[in-house]
Amino acid sequence: MPDVRTPARPHAAGSDSGPSASELLDFARRTATDSALVSSLPLDPEGRTWIRLDGPRGSEAWLIGWPPGTGTGWHDHGGSRGAFAAAGGELTEQSLAVQLPTEGWKTLELADGVDRERTLSDGGGRAFGPHHVHQVLNLSHDTHAVSVHAYYPPLPLMRRYSRTGPVLRLEEVESPEEWE
């Protein structure tokens, strides 16, 4: 089954009157309890599926299905703040508790003590600021997970990273056109 989603809408550049990270988290948690919406997401045993949603006050949101053993890889959100909440199953977030420079580097060696990990299930969620770097994983061997993610401003880009031990390497920068 192919990925399912609707196209993102453009937003006004430079406008920051949108929802706060805590408002995005509240939206993600409320939406995660909408059983009719969650059950409408087609699940694929091989790959993630998603549906684009209208978030609050000009934000974008996504309902995402995670087959067992899948994840995002390390990434950021191009300067957008955001939040996500588990709607079913269990997700593990691994994140960095350090603000990385956004320009002028290809490889960084991370200091000890910057790694964080949390598990989210049953409406559990978290908000984050514009410099958040993380990966989200469904570590289950047999259960799909579903989550709701919201971002403001709508994602202008995503930087993808690879990680080997303490070394983080910028691999690519994706634009929204690549997700359609």
Side-chain angles (χ1 to χ4, degrees), residues 25 29 34 38 106 113 128 138 140 146 149 176:
L25 179 57
R29 283 183 168 148
D34 183 338
V38 171
K106 283 287 206 182
F128 51 84
N138 178 0
S140 172
V146 176
H149 301 244

Side-chain angles (χ1 to χ4, degrees), residues 16-128:
D16 200 67
S17 60
S20 67
S22 63
E23 290 170 313
L24 293 171
L25 179 57
D26 180 58
F27 169 82
R29 283 183 168 148
R30 281 186 288 108
T31 304
T33 66
D34 183 338
S35 58
L37 176 65
V38 171
S39 66
S40 75
L41 178 67
L43 299 178
D44 181 332
E46 300 299 318
R48 288 186 296 152
T49 53
W50 56 86
I51 298 172
R52 188 186 186 284
L53 308 170
D54 289 327
R57 297 188 9 236
S59 64
E60 72 177 335
W62 302 89
L63 178 66
I64 301 175
W66 306 77
T70 59
T72 59
W74 288 95
H75 66 281
D76 69 19
H77 304 96
S80 294
R81 60 184 169 263
F84 69 101
E90 186 174 275
L91 292 170
T92 299
E93 179 198 33
Q94 297 172 342
S95 62
L96 301 177
V98 62
Q99 184 174 328
L100 302 179
T102 57
E103 303 293 329
W105 67 277
K106 283 287 206 182
T107 304
L108 289 176
E109 185 167 346
L110 301 170
D112 290 339
V114 300
D115 288 298
R116 300 291 182 267
E117 184 171 300
R118 71 181 74 208
T119 300
L120 304 172
S121 60
D122 300 326
R126 65 110 71 237
F128 51 84

